Amino acid sequence: MRAVDIIRKKRDGQTLGSEEIDAFVSAATSGTWPDYQLSALLMAIVLRGLSSEETAQLTAAMVHSGRRLDLSDLPGTKVDKHSTGGVGDKTSLILVPLVAACGAVVPMVSGHGLAHTGGTLDRLESIPGFRVDLSPSEFRQALAKVGCAISGQTSEIAPADKKLYALRDVTSTVDSIPLICASIMSKKIAEGIGGLVMDVKCGRGAFMKNRAEALTLAELIVATGRANGVRTEALLTAMNTPLGQSVGNALEVIEALETLKGRGPADVETLSVTLAARMLRLSGQASTHEEAEKLIRAAISSGRGLEKLGRMIEEQGGDRRVVDDYSRLPSAPSRTIFPAERSGYVSLLDAKLAGLASTALGAGRSRMEEAIDPSVGIVVRAKLGAFVRAGEAILELHYRDSSRLDTAVALLRNACRIDDAAPPQETLILETLG
Amino acid sequence: MRAVDIIRKKRDGQTLGSEEIDAFVSAATSGTWPDYQLSALLMAIVLRGLSSEETAQLTAAMVHSGRRLDLSDLPGTKVDKHSTGGVGDKTSLILVPLVAACGAVVPMVSGHGLAHTGGTLDRLESIPGFRVDLSPSEFRQALAKVGCAISGQTSEIAPADKKLYALRDVTSTVDSIPLICASIMSKKIAEGIGGLVMDVKCGRGAFMKNRAEALTLAELIVATGRANGVRTEALLTAMNTPLGQSVGNALEVIEALETLKGRGPADVETLSVTLAARMLRLSGQASTHEEAEKLIRAAISSGRGLEKLGRMIEEQGGDRRVVDDYSRLPSAPSRTIFPAERSGYVSLLDAKLAGLASTALGAGRSRMEEAIDPSVGIVVRAKLGAFVRAGEAILELHYRDSSRLDTAVALLRNACRIDDAAPPQETLILETLG
């Protein structure tokens, strides 16, 4: 099977067969096709698309390019959640221990943040001592002992995705729904899970700005998961304004702990409980969504979720005492407020600009090799729809470096708007698939 | 100007500015973009297209990637002809000396054949001693002395095209009308010509099978030439059946010499005279097409065209005596006929299959590094539309190696068809542009 023939076929809009997709992925993994042939095919895929079957096959081939975790010795169906990335989304820190507290096993392989979105691993790394580089055997051991673990990707998971993603990044071939789907799903399927709940974000702060596009991705993800033997469901959720009240690593850990204590912001709790209940049902620990949600809420009120997070922190080398003593988390030396220029209702609080401002303060990276500052970030004092008086704080900025503060404030000027009338209330969960 | 941004722009179907196109071409020439970025952009161009302005700009940038011959010290407008490649098309060997005999300067930079089409340089190399590797100064000297020369491309001409063509060949990005146009025209414009007649072949034996596509290419070539200061005209000509009666290098040289002696096949003479007359008018040596055609025909009947070809052969190191003594040209040791299976009219004589059969005999190359046999080829004894009796020859095959003969005969079985009724007569010149 010659590379040029496979490239030509996709260039001409034809459907690739499974042997052709396998040949492409194994050539990417082994390096037997030169990069210029890989990138030509990637561009043809971006512009010609992949069918649902081709996407499922590409995903399967990418899973097989590395090792798929075998967790069959652990009891029950292993479940996980994944999100396409939002601002202020700390739900993983909440739902992973909640679901595990209800008896399911949650082997979450997660990533660092990039651009304006935060990353679960970055948040966890703000806990002193917490390790996100568990070896496969440590990961398995943590799962057996605690029932949940959150760690980074090892080089054994979907190496084809690693190779192709690096190439896509420098050839403008990232923006393709089938390629995005295969990249996400190959890594999730390789975790050895049997159930997955996908949170596809949609809006100003999401990679998918457009609802139709987000829906297409969600549908493709569900089909791809199922074609690969993983019970997959998806939610389409709004990401126009930051989720919850904090953006920034240690600040988000505190908000997650507060939510596990039953004192979290309503949107964070709602989304966490909804996603967790779906995971629990997929795991077989509950037979209806209502039952699952009751169990999850009970794990909050009883404190068993919080207890589970404490055990997970301890197992992964972190200082468990942060659960009750937030002063053990890094804290920024300086704070300032971002005030309302006039009185009125907060009618815009743009998630993307808030995320970029938080990144500018040092909470995130614009390139993978940059270091992040776990202490800095933004606290939302007046959420979207709230009434503020002129001069009152919309946001509170936690910062270290005042030159970075200036950049953040400049970004935030376009992020907020005050109007005389209250904006229409936003729906958080836009659509449910599966 | 970052590569990824230029790639993204074309990926999204936007028009590239001249600085962006210049950046791409100069990066291809200098190697500052890695090949995987060049090939991603090439694929985006194949699928998104280039406007007429972008194509003209790409062509100009490719010309500027190397040296443009300065022939301004030679009198008059320099003119040339180019064809997209056909089977049995020996017109260059006829029209170059005819136009030069009428007083115009013809600096033809030509190529070798590939796949099923012959190459002008291959035909000339069948003449003992003939050199197609003139240095730029030898080329210029030949033009000054004889008024015409036909030689191969030097590395100084459009190096960006050389680089990009090699990459297109291995990434399935050859089939793009704007890229084909820029590749052809950059090399022609770099010859230092002021006028060009383009012969765009269309049909079974041409790269463009489809008339609408061929027309699009012809229009783009005319626009690109004019935008770059070259008076350009184009003909769309039929290439369903071989042009003339011979396919194969020495055999085609003989047919060209016969045509210059006024004894050539009608189709070869018509096309040669038409193209030559257009060149002559573009050069300014004639003011109307009728006048130009009269001058060209006179150059045949007076023998001045033949005399000019003899001088060109001599100037380029070849044995001029071939003009009158065909036995000095290589001749194949064996001949056989390809007979008609039944009596009737030749209703199909497929140019592509005939070209492939000739290549199989050794007259052409399937890869650039292969050697060719100048003596072998095919003589058409019964042209399309002729009546043959069962067992009579349709073709005469000149061969050296009988195992190659078997391959050629197998190809020819599908190339010929005999019907009871005569086929409709084919129009040779389908369309005239400019």
Side-chain angles (χ1 to χ4, degrees):
Chain A
M1 222 167 303
R2 297 190 315 154
V4 280
D5 297 326
I6 298 174
I7 299 168
R8 181 185 307 112
K9 204 167 166 183
K10 184 45 69 185
R11 178 199 76 188
D12 293 344
Q14 293 175 58
T15 301
L16 299 181
S18 58
E19 318 76 41
E20 289 162 329
I21 290 172
D22 288 349
F24 160 52
V25 173
S26 74
T29 313
S30 63
T32 45
W33 285 16
D35 287 354
Y36 54 77
Q37 289 181 325
L38 297 174
S39 69
L41 181 54
L42 288 168
M43 182 58 83
I45 289 173
V46 169
L47 292 174
R48 290 296 200 174
L50 290 179
S51 70
S52 180
E53 291 72 28
E54 286 173 295
T55 307
Q57 185 61 40
L58 176 61
T59 305
M62 279 161 59
V63 171
H64 295 141
S65 74
R67 242 178 59 177
R68 185 171 181 166
L69 269 179
D70 178 7
L71 300 176
S72 54
D73 53 325
L74 298 177
T77 300
K78 271 58 70 179
V79 290
D80 195 10
K81 182 224 66 157
H82 188 74
S83 136
T84 56
V87 176
D89 182 1
K90 64 284 291 175
T91 54
S92 291
L93 274 54
I94 301 158
L95 56 82
V96 167
L98 284 174
V99 174
C102 295
V105 175
V106 188
M108 181 178 274
V109 174
S110 192
H112 290 277
L114 196 58
H116 63 282
T117 64
T120 298
L121 299 187
D122 299 324
R123 296 184 187 101
L124 286 168
E125 285 188 316
S126 71
I127 300 170
F130 196 97
R131 284 180 52 215
V132 297
D133 60 348
L134 302 187
S135 69
S137 69
E138 289 173 323
F139 190 63
R140 177 188 300 274
Q141 191 185 319
L143 290 172
K145 234 170 120 179
V146 186
C148 60
I150 304 181
S151 188
Q153 197 182 335
T154 66
S155 60
E156 292 164 315
I157 290 184
D161 176 64
K162 196 168 185 153
K163 166 70 188 177
L164 291 176
Y165 194 85
L167 202 53
R168 287 166 62 202
D169 196 38
V170 292
T171 54
S172 288
T173 50
V174 169
D175 298 337
S176 152
I177 288 177
L179 292 177
I180 291 169
C181 173
S183 176
I184 291 172
M185 292 302 284
S186 61
K187 288 177 286 196
K188 288 284 131 181
I189 292 166
E191 289 174 357
I193 52 174
L196 176 69
V197 180
M198 187 73 205
D199 180 8
V200 178
K201 305 282 192 191
C202 174
R204 295 167 169 275
F207 288 110
M208 301 274 148
K209 315 276 178 249
N210 173 298
R211 185 154 168 181
E213 254 187 11
L215 188 59
T216 303
L217 175 61
E219 287 169 343
L220 194 58
I221 281 173
V222 169
T224 299
R226 291 179 180 177
N228 282 279
V230 175
R231 295 175 65 193
T232 307
E233 298 183 354
L235 296 185
L236 225 68
T237 69
M239 179 37 67
N240 290 309
T241 194
L243 190 71
Q245 285 175 252
S246 63
V247 180
N249 300 293
L251 293 169
E252 293 192 47
V253 169
I254 294 169
E255 190 167 289
L257 290 165
E258 287 292 295
T259 306
L260 284 169
K261 292 171 186 172
R263 302 191 295 245
D267 53 354
V268 173
E269 185 180 291
T270 301
L271 187 56
S272 302
V273 169
T274 304
L275 292 166
R278 291 191 163 262
M279 291 165 74
L280 198 61
R281 211 193 65 249
L282 286 181
S283 79
Q285 300 285 329
S287 49
T288 65
H289 188 74
E290 292 64 37
E291 185 196 340
E293 198 167 318
K294 207 177 281 176
L295 289 167
I296 293 295
R297 290 202 182 275
I300 297 177
S301 53
S302 65
R304 282 185 299 114
L306 188 67
E307 161 70 16
K308 188 62 89 177
L309 180 58
R311 289 192 57 203
M312 188 186 95
I313 292 172
E314 191 170 26
E315 182 64 28
Q316 296 195 224
D319 182 353
R320 182 180 179 156
R321 293 170 296 178
V322 300
V323 168
D324 292 307
D325 181 1
Y326 300 159
S327 74
R328 293 185 176 274
L329 287 166
S331 165
S334 310
R335 295 179 194 194
T336 185
I337 65 154
F338 182 88
E341 286 183 343
R342 45 168 289 205
S343 299
Y345 293 92
V346 178
S347 61
L348 173 74
L349 185 45
D350 185 288
K352 179 163 187 181
L353 290 170
L356 288 173
S358 174
T359 295
L361 290 175
R365 301 172 180 82
S366 43
R367 279 168 305 134
M368 260 304 166
E369 55 280 11
E370 285 173 6
I372 65 169
D373 183 338
S375 70
V376 299
I378 298 171
V379 173
V380 179
R381 297 265 289 265
K383 291 222 2 145
L384 188 69
F387 185 84
V388 283
R389 283 178 206 288
E392 279 183 359
I394 302 174
L395 306 170
E396 185 181 281
L397 280 57
H398 294 225
Y399 69 100
R400 187 176 302 277
D401 175 341
S402 53
S403 71
R404 283 170 162 252
L405 180 66
D406 294 343
T407 312
V409 168
L411 286 161
L412 290 170
R413 287 225 170 82
N414 294 313
C416 304
R417 201 175 59 225
I418 309 286
D419 276 339
D420 291 333
Q425 221 182 332
E426 279 226 334
T427 308
L428 180 59
I429 297 170
L430 302 168
E431 207 131 2
T432 301
L433 287 87
Chain B
M1 220 168 305
R2 296 190 317 153
V4 281
D5 297 327
I6 297 174
I7 298 168
R8 181 185 307 112
K9 204 167 166 184
K10 184 44 70 184
R11 180 199 75 188
D12 293 344
Q14 294 176 54
T15 301
L16 300 180
S18 58
E19 317 76 41
E20 289 162 327
I21 291 173
D22 289 349
F24 161 51
V25 173
S26 73
T29 313
S30 64
T32 45
W33 284 17
D35 287 353
Y36 54 76
Q37 289 181 324
L38 297 174
S39 69
L41 181 54
L42 287 169
M43 183 58 84
I45 289 173
V46 168
L47 292 174
R48 291 297 201 174
L50 290 179
S51 70
S52 179
E53 291 70 28
E54 287 174 294
T55 306
Q57 185 61 41
L58 175 60
T59 305
M62 280 161 60
V63 171
H64 294 141
S65 74
R67 241 177 61 178
R68 184 172 182 166
L69 270 178
D70 179 6
L71 300 176
S72 55
D73 53 327
L74 298 177
T77 300
K78 271 59 68 179
V79 290
D80 194 9
K81 183 224 66 159
H82 188 74
S83 137
T84 57
V87 176
D89 183 0
K90 64 283 291 173
T91 54
S92 290
L93 273 56
I94 300 159
L95 57 79
V96 166
L98 284 175
V99 173
C102 296
V105 175
V106 188
M108 181 179 274
V109 173
S110 192
H112 290 277
L114 196 59
H116 63 283
T117 64
T120 298
L121 299 187
D122 299 323
R123 294 183 188 102
L124 286 168
E125 285 189 314
S126 70
I127 299 169
F130 196 98
R131 286 181 52 216
V132 298
D133 60 346
L134 303 186
S135 70
S137 69
E138 287 172 324
F139 190 64
R140 177 188 299 276
Q141 191 185 319
L143 290 171
K145 233 169 119 181
V146 185
C148 61
I150 304 180
S151 189
Q153 197 183 335
T154 66
S155 61
E156 292 164 314
I157 290 184
D161 176 64
K162 197 168 185 151
K163 166 73 186 174
L164 292 175
Y165 194 85
L167 202 53
R168 287 166 61 201
D169 196 38
V170 292
T171 54
S172 289
T173 51
V174 169
D175 299 337
S176 152
I177 287 177
L179 292 178
I180 290 169
C181 173
S183 175
I184 291 171
M185 293 303 284
S186 61
K187 289 178 285 196
K188 289 283 131 181
I189 293 165
E191 290 173 357
I193 51 173
L196 175 69
V197 180
M198 187 72 204
D199 179 8
V200 178
K201 305 284 191 190
C202 174
R204 295 167 170 275
F207 288 110
M208 301 275 147
K209 313 277 179 251
N210 173 298
R211 185 154 167 179
E213 254 188 11
L215 187 61
T216 304
L217 175 60
E219 287 168 345
L220 195 57
I221 281 173
V222 169
T224 300
R226 291 179 180 177
N228 282 278
V230 175
R231 296 174 65 193
T232 306
E233 299 183 356
L235 296 185
L236 225 67
T237 69
M239 179 37 66
N240 289 309
T241 195
L243 191 69
Q245 286 175 249
S246 63
V247 180
N249 299 292
L251 293 170
E252 293 193 45
V253 168
I254 294 170
E255 191 167 290
L257 289 165
E258 287 292 295
T259 307
L260 284 168
K261 290 170 186 172
R263 302 190 296 244
D267 55 353
V268 173
E269 183 180 294
T270 300
L271 186 55
S272 302
V273 168
T274 304
L275 291 166
R278 291 192 164 261
M279 291 166 74
L280 198 62
R281 212 193 64 249
L282 286 179
S283 80
Q285 300 286 329
S287 49
T288 67
H289 187 74
E290 291 65 34
E291 183 195 342
E293 200 168 316
K294 206 176 281 175
L295 289 167
I296 292 296
R297 289 200 183 274
I300 297 177
S301 53
S302 67
R304 281 186 299 113
L306 187 68
E307 160 71 18
K308 188 63 88 177
L309 180 58
R311 287 191 59 200
M312 189 187 95
I313 291 172
E314 191 172 24
E315 181 65 25
Q316 297 195 225
D319 182 352
R320 183 180 178 158
R321 291 170 297 176
V322 301
V323 169
D324 293 307
D325 181 1
Y326 301 159
S327 74
R328 293 182 176 276
L329 287 166
S331 165
S334 309
R335 293 177 195 196
T336 187
I337 65 155
F338 183 87
E341 287 182 344
R342 47 169 289 206
S343 298
Y345 293 92
V346 179
S347 62
L348 175 73
L349 184 45
D350 185 289
K352 180 162 186 182
L353 290 171
L356 288 173
S358 174
T359 295
L361 291 175
R365 301 174 179 79
S366 45
R367 279 169 304 133
M368 262 303 166
E369 55 281 13
E370 286 172 5
I372 65 168
D373 183 338
S375 70
V376 300
I378 297 171
V379 173
V380 179
R381 297 262 291 264
K383 293 225 356 152
L384 188 70
F387 184 83
V388 282
R389 282 178 207 289
E392 280 183 358
I394 302 175
L395 306 170
E396 184 181 284
L397 279 59
H398 294 224
Y399 70 100
R400 187 176 302 275
D401 175 341
S402 52
S403 70
R404 284 170 162 251
L405 179 66
D406 294 344
T407 313
V409 169
L411 286 161
L412 291 170
R413 286 225 172 80
N414 295 315
C416 303
R417 201 173 60 225
I418 309 286
D419 275 339
D420 290 334
Q425 222 184 331
E426 279 226 332
T427 308
L428 180 60
I429 296 169
L430 302 167
E431 209 131 359
T432 301
L433 288 88

